Amino acid sequence: MSNILLSSPYFSTAPFPHFAVNSALGNDASENILKWLETSAPWKLKIAEFYEQFEFSILDCELPSEIQTFFSNENLAKLRFRLEQIFGIKLSNKQDIAAHKLVQGQRIRIHNDYIPGQETHRVLVQLNRGWRDEFGGILLLFGSDDSKDIKKAFRPIHDSCVAFEISPSSHHAVTPIVSGERYTLVFSFYEQND
């Protein structure tokens, strides 16, 4: 997680506040986590109104010893502090961490994730072996709820990261997976209400 903390992110407020970094976890952590996701992680299929994917909660499962430190309270506090610096906000200690896997034919349609009083900021870390553009799985950010109003596109390159503010305008989607398996760590944070 040190690369997220130390690297200079690309930050923008358009179409809604977000940032991106090319290397989020570093070689060792990203490789160890990806191996676990590919081999023995406890995936469960979830079908919802706007998506179908495999997922599970990192906080509710037994982690292999080689990746436990990465998800420690100390590392998560560092990530939370870095998000506070970048977005200029104060976050509560509450957080959720999930893993998502999309396979051929799956996609995430346009949505914004906004629920009043719930998650306010999300960090997506891509863990994908040899991903190529023709595999699909591109993260899209929109300027409205119109699927033609694409403003930004991010390839799911291994160890890359995109973080964004959740709001009524944070419309995003993932294009269909044509080939391969697309893995993502999803860190959810909650703004502190004073």
Side-chain angles (χ1 to χ4, degrees):
M1 197 170 291
S2 60
N3 285 357
I4 288 178
L5 302 174
L6 298 178
S7 63
S8 297
Y10 154 82
F11 181 82
S12 177
T13 58
F16 47 86
H18 68 279
F19 76 79
V21 294
N22 292 329
S23 180
L25 313 182
N27 291 336
D28 291 342
S30 63
E31 183 61 26
N32 287 338
I33 295 169
L34 179 56
K35 281 182 186 175
W36 173 59
L37 295 176
E38 291 173 326
T39 57
S40 59
W43 296 109
K44 292 181 181 173
L45 179 63
K46 181 166 183 184
I47 300 174
E49 183 180 339
F50 59 89
Y51 70 89
E52 176 182 316
Q53 69 185 9
F54 293 90
E55 61 182 45
F56 67 93
S57 170
I58 297 284
L59 300 177
D60 294 336
C61 70
E62 188 171 336
L63 298 171
S65 58
E66 62 269 16
I67 65 172
Q68 286 176 358
T69 302
F70 176 78
F71 294 104
S72 69
N73 288 334
E74 180 183 354
N75 268 351
L76 293 173
K78 289 177 182 176
L79 176 56
R80 186 169 52 250
F81 178 72
R82 187 66 175 124
L83 289 176
E84 290 175 336
Q85 289 179 316
I86 294 169
F87 286 105
I89 44 133
K90 183 66 177 169
L91 296 171
S92 74
N93 289 332
K94 181 179 180 181
Q95 67 223 350
D96 296 310
I97 312 167
H100 294 172
K101 176 173 71 169
L102 293 170
V103 300
Q104 185 176 13
Q106 294 180 333
R107 65 184 296 180
I108 301 175
R109 290 174 177 81
I110 187 170
H111 67 290
N112 67 12
D113 288 316
Y114 178 70
I115 301 173
Q118 295 298 310
E119 171 190 11
T120 60
H121 293 79
R122 178 173 292 175
V123 177
L124 305 174
V125 177
Q126 300 298 322
L127 299 170
N128 299 301
R129 201 175 301 286
W131 200 265
R132 299 195 306 265
D133 286 351
E134 57 265 30
F135 292 175
I138 307 297
L139 172 65
L140 303 175
L141 306 186
F142 299 88
S144 68
D145 62 359
D146 180 351
S147 62
K148 296 183 181 80
D149 191 15
I150 299 169
K151 299 298 185 189
K152 299 268 177 82
F154 295 94
R155 295 178 174 106
I157 297 168
H158 180 67
D159 199 29
S160 65
C161 167
V162 176
F164 56 91
E165 178 184 274
I166 299 288
S167 73
S169 62
S170 62
H171 293 96
H172 58 285
V174 175
T175 64
I177 306 300
V178 177
S179 181
E181 297 180 339
R182 180 189 189 273
Y183 297 95
T184 308
L185 294 179
V186 181
F187 297 85
S188 299
F189 293 92
Y190 300 75
E191 196 161 353
Q192 186 169 296
N193 295 322
D194 294 325

